[in-house]
Amino acid sequence: DTEVTQTPKHLVMGMTNKKSLKCEQHMGHRAMYWYKQKAKKPPELMFVYSYEKLSINESVPSRFSPECPNSSLLNLHLHALQPEDSALYLCASSQDKRTLAKNIQYFGAGTRLSVL
Amino acid sequence: AQSVAQPEDQVNVAEGNPLTVKCTYSVSGNPYLFWYVQYPNRGLQFLLKYITGDNLVKGSYGFEAEFNKSQTSFHLKKPSALVSDSALYFCAGRYYGGATNKLIFGTGTLLAVQP
């Protein structure tokens, strides 16, 4: 099973709303990632968690707040977003951050976010 | 600076013809290279990787890639294209920088296979 599950598939929110994106994997992977992807562009790395600890924050604005409650779950809390934050948000996982390059990242189908 | 380049925004090929999607890289250390495919409204799917060993790497759905160290290239190939291969293809390489190992993605190539 190489599945990464993301919910919801679609989300529309206002600039004053608070919402959360959820990501789940049951492959025993200990590294999990959040990416942001604009249409027809490559994914941009936002955060990396390794063994449930935040290891990379790519200078993401504080209106995005990640959380890793356990080794299978990854959340992205959203608050006071801007219209330019509208994008496809992808979650991925891999076996181990320290051997990231050797290990494949498995991606979820993403959450398409629209900020009005 | 480390980078991965995909020089073609779009590649058009007729069904049944061979296809090539180009990728060149400039990374530190030993190159670890990947190809991913993205269908509309979906996440990225892993196709194949090069870490070490044979320069010709075979992957999913009949795709293969040729690693060429002297030309710093990692082109994706398939002997006979299918309409269902139409998608966005990303080449990626390991970013080598202390503890911040992560993937560097190319800009993507849209493959259009005409029936």
Side-chain angles (χ1 to χ4, degrees):
Chain A
D1 182 10
T2 59
E3 188 171 344
V4 175
T5 304
Q6 289 188 244
T7 54
K9 293 191 187 308
H10 302 277
L11 180 62
V12 179
M13 61 186 291
M15 289 190 284
T16 58
N17 292 157
K18 286 186 182 181
K19 297 285 185 185
S20 296
L21 310 184
K22 181 181 173 182
C23 173
E24 195 166 1
Q25 57 87 15
H26 296 287
M27 295 178 280
H29 290 173
R30 303 310 297 271
M32 296 186 76
Y33 313 80
W34 279 116
Y35 287 87
K36 174 184 178 181
Q37 186 183 27
K38 292 282 196 177
K40 299 187 180 181
K41 298 293 185 183
E44 299 170 27
L45 184 64
M46 300 174 71
F47 304 102
V48 180
Y49 273 82
S50 177
Y51 293 85
E52 295 94 73
K53 288 189 171 60
L54 182 64
S55 61
I56 296 178
N57 177 341
E58 292 285 270
S59 303
V60 179
S62 60
R63 58 186 183 267
F64 296 91
S65 175
E67 178 196 20
C68 190
N70 59 57
S71 60
S72 300
L73 281 176
L74 185 66
N75 297 320
L76 186 63
H77 302 299
L78 314 172
H79 174 53
L81 294 193
Q82 303 297 311
E84 60 263 29
D85 296 322
S86 298
L88 182 67
Y89 287 84
L90 294 167
C91 173
S93 70
S94 66
Q95 287 184 356
D96 180 81
K97 171 187 171 286
R98 283 183 287 276
T99 57
L100 168 64
K102 294 185 180 182
N103 287 289
I104 304 160
Q105 288 190 28
Y106 293 92
F107 284 80
T111 294
R112 186 158 301 282
L113 175 67
S114 297
V115 182
L116 304 179
Chain B
Q2 301 183 62
S3 64
V4 171
Q6 293 179 243
E8 302 157 316
D9 290 335
Q10 182 162 337
V11 169
N12 297 308
V13 65
E15 188 174 30
N17 283 2
L19 70 87
T20 298
V21 183
K22 296 180 180 177
C23 172
T24 58
Y25 65 90
S26 173
V27 297
S28 300
N30 293 323
Y32 295 166
L33 302 165
F34 306 80
W35 276 102
Y36 285 86
V37 60
Q38 186 173 32
Y39 297 97
N41 300 312
R42 300 299 304 274
L44 277 67
Q45 294 179 33
F46 168 78
L47 279 180
L48 49 81
K49 69 178 185 226
Y50 173 84
I51 303 296
T52 186
D54 290 340
N55 290 341
L56 186 63
V57 179
K58 293 193 183 297
S60 305
Y61 312 122
F63 284 95
E64 57 188 27
E66 187 172 8
F67 172 72
N68 187 316
K69 188 173 182 179
S70 63
Q71 296 184 7
T72 62
S73 67
F74 188 56
H75 299 333
L76 182 70
K77 301 182 179 187
K78 188 174 182 182
S80 179
L82 299 172
V83 172
S84 57
D85 293 330
S86 300
L88 186 57
Y89 290 80
F90 289 103
C91 181
R94 175 187 70 159
Y95 175 89
Y96 185 75
T100 59
N101 286 350
K102 59 187 181 184
L103 294 178
I104 310 168
F105 284 92
T107 50
T109 298
L110 186 64
L111 174 66
V113 181
Q114 282 89 36

